[in-house]
Amino acid sequence: EDQVTQSPEALRLQEGESSSLNCSYTVSGLRGLFWYRQDPGKGPEFLFTLYSAGEEKEKERLKATLTKKESFLHITAPKPEDSATYLCAVQYNFNKFYFGSGTKLNVKP
Amino acid sequence: DGGITQSPKYLFRKEGQNVTLSCEQNLNHDAMYWYRQDPGQGLRLIYYSQIVNDFQKGDIAEGYSVSREKKESFPLTVTSAQKNPTAFYLCASSPPGTYALTQYFGPGTRLTVL
């Protein structure tokens, strides 16, 4: 049973076309939900940590939100340089982390 | 300039060989982790260490071993017992905390079995 599910698996957008990526989780006792950006052949780059339902965080064109069962990463007016795979992870115990398989975003100019 | 370094970037292993992947951090983080990433799958935890001289198995520890003799270093050995070692290996570290632990990742090592 998957603990973390990300959708869609892949997303193609035109430059400037806003959209959202979804991360749903089934674990209870969430300590934190994390968003990362990963470029091909590189390590994940930290974006956000969310701790509780209702929390929102923003960074440039990205905004992350959290509910009791899912998180959204909203991308406003994306640019080609936003193309990457976006990973979601949840922590439900001191050292228990589950990662989703990611959403591969491609932004066309 | 603080960060996490991994070496080598690419590594090739012959059947029956043990190989060691290096991970070093100068962030003064207590916790360190090793993950394996395969295409189309989420990162899977191999081993983690909360403090020097202590480490715990993750979800897929079979065929791997680690040591934590220094706070800055957490090397991973892929032994010949690991039947399918070809993957992208990622090391991470976390600053001290009592609740949520944000992990910061190194650049990764790609291991290929010949």
Side-chain angles (χ1 to χ4, degrees):
Chain A
E1 178 187 345
D2 289 339
Q3 307 283 352
V4 181
T5 303
Q6 290 189 246
S7 62
E9 289 185 11
L11 181 62
R12 297 180 68 178
L13 299 173
Q14 287 296 126
E15 184 172 1
E17 179 187 2
S18 301
S19 188
S20 296
L21 282 55
N22 177 262
C23 172
S24 62
Y25 57 93
T26 58
V27 299
S28 59
L30 182 76
R31 284 179 172 243
L33 184 140
F34 311 91
W35 281 100
Y36 292 87
R37 170 195 170 122
Q38 186 175 26
D39 293 303
K42 298 190 176 182
E45 174 190 345
F46 170 71
L47 294 174
F48 304 108
T49 301
L50 301 167
Y51 298 96
S52 58
E55 189 174 4
E56 298 182 353
K57 289 193 176 175
E58 289 187 65
K59 178 181 179 181
E60 296 180 356
R61 295 177 293 282
L62 300 177
K63 178 176 158 181
T65 61
L66 180 64
T67 70
K68 287 191 175 180
K69 288 297 179 187
E70 59 189 351
S71 176
F72 292 93
L73 184 65
H74 308 277
I75 303 176
T76 301
K79 298 182 178 181
E81 53 262 42
D82 294 323
S83 296
T85 295
Y86 290 85
L87 303 175
C88 169
V90 299
Q91 179 189 358
Y92 74 97
N93 205 340
F94 186 71
N95 266 305
K96 289 290 185 183
F97 295 85
Y98 285 111
F99 280 79
S101 55
T103 293
K104 186 174 183 179
L105 175 64
N106 186 8
V107 182
K108 295 285 192 180
Chain B
D1 191 18
I4 303 173
T5 58
Q6 292 185 241
S7 62
K9 185 173 182 179
Y10 299 99
L11 186 58
F12 298 92
R13 192 193 93 167
K14 294 182 180 179
E15 295 283 349
Q17 274 187 337
N18 292 353
V19 291
T20 297
L21 284 59
S22 169
C23 177
E24 304 276 334
Q25 55 98 1
N26 61 3
L27 300 168
N28 200 33
H29 288 173
D30 290 316
M32 297 187 73
Y33 311 80
W34 274 106
Y35 286 91
R36 169 181 173 139
Q37 187 174 34
D38 295 283
Q41 296 189 37
L43 276 66
R44 292 182 291 167
L45 183 64
I46 305 172
Y47 268 98
Y48 64 93
S49 169
Q50 297 180 38
I51 57 173
V52 174
N53 293 323
D54 181 67
F55 48 83
Q56 305 295 328
K57 292 182 179 181
D59 298 320
I60 56 165
E62 185 175 351
Y64 300 98
S65 65
V66 293
S67 62
R68 186 86 186 275
E69 297 177 0
K70 299 187 299 181
K71 187 175 184 177
E72 301 80 15
S73 179
F74 192 39
L76 173 74
T77 296
V78 184
T79 74
S80 58
Q82 171 50 239
K83 297 306 177 188
N84 185 22
T86 295
F88 190 49
Y89 290 86
L90 289 160
C91 177
S93 67
S94 289
T98 58
Y99 201 68
L101 301 175
T102 299
Q103 297 174 317
Y104 297 89
F105 286 85
T109 292
R110 185 165 299 279
L111 173 63
T112 303
V113 174
L114 300 175

